[in-house]
Amino acid sequence: AGAQKSSKYGLPSPKDYDKWSIGLSFGQTLFLGDVLKDSKNNEAYKKLPFAPNFGIQVTRQLSHSVGLRASGSYATFMAGPSNEKYDSSQPAAVVNFESPVLEGALEGVYTFGNISHLKRNKKFHLFVTLGIGVFKFDGELTDDSTNVVLKKTGGVSEIMIPFGIGFKYQIKK
């Protein structure tokens, strides 16, 4: 007796999708807070400082459409120089803001396009995610001319609800 071949139509069999996947991410962060370069002139997007974001994610497919993803990332938020009044007892100063950012999340992943009455595309799939996670930062406000730390946020942790829309493309099978 031979094994059944997977159909190009209808529900995919477990051999049609990978159970585990690993992803890496890299990108540019954009801080849109109180301390923005030339915020009064709407120039915040020009000459952005290089502030990268690095991430990793591991996904376990529970079925052809539903998966569970653990993700984490490290980034730096940077902004300034900006003329700000950071303390009511001090005059305004030209300041910069910088903060390392760590985040981790557990998310559900729903993949579209795995069921079709038309021919199923096995390489390209749209997906949506929704989950819960933790976001931690530790910001510093520094004087632009002296690099003296004017204020620190201290380590702050917050709960986050990450959601997203994306696509997957299978390079090789």
Side-chain angles (χ1 to χ4, degrees):
Q4 284 186 323
K5 284 190 127 187
S6 175
S7 170
K8 293 180 181 178
Y9 305 95
L11 291 173
S13 72
K15 68 181 180 178
D16 284 343
Y17 59 90
D18 294 327
K19 297 245 189 254
W20 289 96
S21 61
I22 296 173
L24 300 174
S25 62
F26 173 79
Q28 168 72 24
T29 62
L30 176 63
F31 178 78
L32 293 176
D34 294 339
V35 181
L36 290 176
K37 181 178 182 179
D38 298 324
S39 61
K40 311 305 185 268
N41 299 326
N42 292 322
E43 301 288 321
Y45 296 102
K46 291 186 179 176
K47 297 180 183 174
L48 287 173
F50 180 65
N53 175 359
F54 304 96
I56 187 166
Q57 57 195 19
V58 177
T59 305
R60 168 76 163 110
Q61 282 301 123
L62 304 174
S63 75
H64 60 282
S65 293
V66 178
L68 192 59
R69 177 168 73 184
S71 62
S73 67
Y74 174 81
T76 302
F77 283 158
M78 298 173 75
S82 179
N83 190 22
E84 300 292 334
K85 186 163 180 67
Y86 65 93
D87 189 340
S88 61
S89 65
Q90 301 291 328
V94 177
V95 297
N96 292 304
F97 175 79
E98 186 169 340
S99 176
V101 178
L102 288 167
E103 70 178 41
L106 188 60
E107 302 163 88
V109 180
Y110 183 80
T111 305
F112 296 95
N114 290 9
I115 302 171
S116 179
H117 298 289
L118 303 173
K119 185 175 177 184
R120 188 170 59 248
N121 183 342
K122 295 181 181 181
K123 290 192 174 274
F124 181 81
H125 299 287
L126 296 173
F127 68 90
V128 294
T129 64
L130 180 64
I132 189 161
V134 177
F135 178 93
K136 182 176 171 64
F137 64 95
D138 188 5
E140 287 186 347
L141 196 63
T142 58
D143 186 288
D144 186 54
S145 60
T146 64
N147 274 346
V148 171
V149 176
L150 303 172
K151 282 201 168 209
K152 281 186 69 91
T153 61
V156 177
S157 296
E158 297 288 341
I159 299 290
M160 65 178 187
I161 307 294
F163 62 94
I165 299 173
F167 71 90
K168 298 187 260 190
Y169 183 79
Q170 185 178 33
I171 296 171
K172 182 181 173 188
K173 177 108 178 164

